[in-house]
Structure formats: structure tokens, C-alpha cells
């Protein structure tokens, strides 16, 4: 059964104080939710492909819930925070570590390194939606094998890049070892319990 994100948020925020009375204003004034709301509403819509230039190395798992509803998004961030701890263990088992995973961007081209494997591709921004679109390719970048939206945010030398779970897992499985592929499928199964979740990486610029 799919999880109700807003209900979980309510449990997280109010469970320890059953008799306290909270208004919507109290909720939105809490420091945790204010931080989340700020992150949601201050997303830099001016971020361009050129802003991504350079090499970015994996530093931590990233996930979030894709929702236009502010309260659901806030609840999703609370749950996503706990999911990141679980993902960290699975990522390491799948060989997703700072020494093995990195992204390099130059103009509209990109390269993802995963251990000894390398995935070429290119990235563009769809201006009407504000979404970045990543195309992974084979044979020197000439044959597209997977096209998917990328949710990208950047702050200084830190960037998060997130994708649809199933599509990202499919891409990684195609170049992973048998053991790593099994772990990646476990991650996919874990996240399939949640509606609208995106999965990806927190990256640090080199």
C-alpha cells in the first residue's frame, strides 16, 4: 500500500505532543518546515546547463518527493530525510561511493563515471517546464539509450541531481556487476512503496 506522506509528516511533527493544539500558522512557523518551504520556494529557476560545467563527485544519496502541493512536499522532505539514511547503506553496497561515482559537464555534453564504467550523454534544459533533460548514449554518443528528466538544484559547490527511480536504476544496472545490480533492484523495490519519489545524488564540485 502506498504511504500517505502528509499523514507521516503529521506523525513526525505532532506525535510527541498528543495534547498540544497547533494551527496552520504554528506548523508553517516551525523551524523545520520553514527550512523546507524556503528550499522549495527559493529554487533557482535561472539555473542553466552552463552553470553545471565541471566535474562533480558523489558525496551522499539524494531523494525527494515530486509534488506541487506545498504541505505534501514538506511532508515528503521529512520522510525523504529518513530514506536517505537507508539509501546510504544500499548505495555503498551498489558501489556508489565518492571514489567511484562522478559527473562531468562541458557545454551540453556529460559523462557519468560509475566505477570503471563510463556513460556518455548530453543534457539540455526544457525552458517551458524548467526541467533538465538527460539523454544517455552509446557508441561515442550517437545512439540514445535512455532519455529522462533530471531535477537539478545547485548551491555553491554542492549540487543535487535526481531522476525517476526506475529509469535511473535501469541505467545503472546496464553497467553494474551482478551483485551491484541485485542491490540496485532492492533500492528500486524500497522506493516503489512511495508515490512520486525521485532518486539521485548529492554531488560536490572538484
Amino acid at each position: 500500500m502506498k504511504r500517505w506522506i502528509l499523514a507521516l509528516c503529521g506523525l513526525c511533527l505532532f506525535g510527541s505532543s498528543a495534547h498540544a493544539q497547533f494551527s496552520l500558522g504554528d506548523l508553517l512557523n516551525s523551524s523545520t518546515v520553514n527550512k523546507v518551504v524556503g528550499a522549495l520556494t527559493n529554487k533557482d529557476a535561472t539555473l542553466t546547463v552552463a552553470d553545471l560545467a565541471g566535474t562533480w563527485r558523489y558525496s551522499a544519496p539524494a531523494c525527494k518527493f515530486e509534488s506541487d502541493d506545498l504541505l505534501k512536499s514538506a511532508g515528503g522532505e521529512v520522510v525523504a530525510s529518513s530514506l536517505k539514511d537507508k539509501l546510504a547503506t544500499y548505495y555503498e553496497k551498489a558501489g556508489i561511493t565518492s571514489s567511484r561515482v562522478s559527473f562531468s559537464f562541458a557545454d551540453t555534453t556529460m559523462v557519468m563515471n560509475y566505477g570503471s564504467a563510463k556513460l556518455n550523454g548530453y543534457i539540455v534544459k526544457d525552458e517551458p517546464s524548467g526541467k533538465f533533460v538527460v539523454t544517455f548514449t552509446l557508441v561515442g554518443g550517437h545512439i540514445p539509450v535512455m532519455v529522462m528528466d533530471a531535477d537539478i538544484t545547485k548551491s555553491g559547490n554542492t549540487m543535487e541531481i535526481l531522476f525517476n527511480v526506475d529509469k535511473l536504476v535501469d541505467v545503472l544496472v546496464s553497467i553494474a556487476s551482478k551483485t551491484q545490480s541485485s542491490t540496485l533492484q532492492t533500492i528500486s523495490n524500497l522506493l516503489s512503496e512511495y508515490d512520486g519519489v525521485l532518486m539521485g545524488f548529492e554531488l560536490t564540485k572538484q
Side-chain angles (χ1 to χ4, degrees), residues 176-198:
S177 68
K178 184 175 181 180
T179 300
Q180 291 168 345
S181 295
S182 177
T183 302
L184 290 166
Q185 291 295 350
T186 299
I187 294 173
S188 180
N189 293 338
L190 169 69
L191 296 182
S192 69
E193 299 180 25
Y194 301 87
D195 281 321
V197 69
L198 299 176

Side-chain angles (χ1 to χ4, degrees), residues 86-200:
K86 296 180 181 179
L87 287 178
T89 300
Y90 289 115
Y91 272 32
E92 187 171 359
K93 289 181 179 179
I96 301 174
T97 64
S98 59
S99 63
R100 291 173 50 85
V101 173
S102 65
F103 286 78
S104 295
F105 300 92
D107 297 322
T108 59
T109 64
M110 61 169 285
V111 177
M112 177 184 176
N113 290 293
Y114 181 17
S116 59
K118 181 182 292 186
L119 281 168
N120 293 298
Y122 54 89
I123 181 169
V124 297
K125 186 173 185 180
D126 177 56
E127 294 299 339
S129 68
K131 289 275 190 180
F132 290 88
V133 181
V134 169
T135 301
F136 286 106
T137 60
L138 293 176
V139 192
H142 299 296
I143 301 178
V145 293
M146 178 68 76
V147 179
M148 51 188 177
D149 289 341
D151 187 300
I152 302 177
T153 55
K154 176 178 172 286
S155 177
N157 289 328
T158 300
M159 178 167 69
E160 281 194 358
I161 181 166
L162 299 121
F163 304 95
N164 170 274
V165 173
D166 293 334
K167 288 188 174 183
L168 179 58
V169 168
D170 284 346
V171 167
L172 296 178
V173 164
S174 70
I175 57 174
S177 68
K178 184 175 181 180
T179 300
Q180 291 168 345
S181 295
S182 177
T183 302
L184 290 166
Q185 291 295 350
T186 299
I187 294 173
S188 180
N189 293 338
L190 169 69
L191 296 182
S192 69
E193 299 180 25
Y194 301 87
D195 281 321
V197 69
L198 299 176
M199 161 188 164

Side-chain angles (χ1 to χ4, degrees), residues 1 13 23 27 38 42 55 99 143 158 161 171:
M1 179 181 294
L13 293 172
S23 68
L27 172 63
N42 293 325
T55 297
S99 63
I143 301 178
T158 300
I161 181 166
V171 167

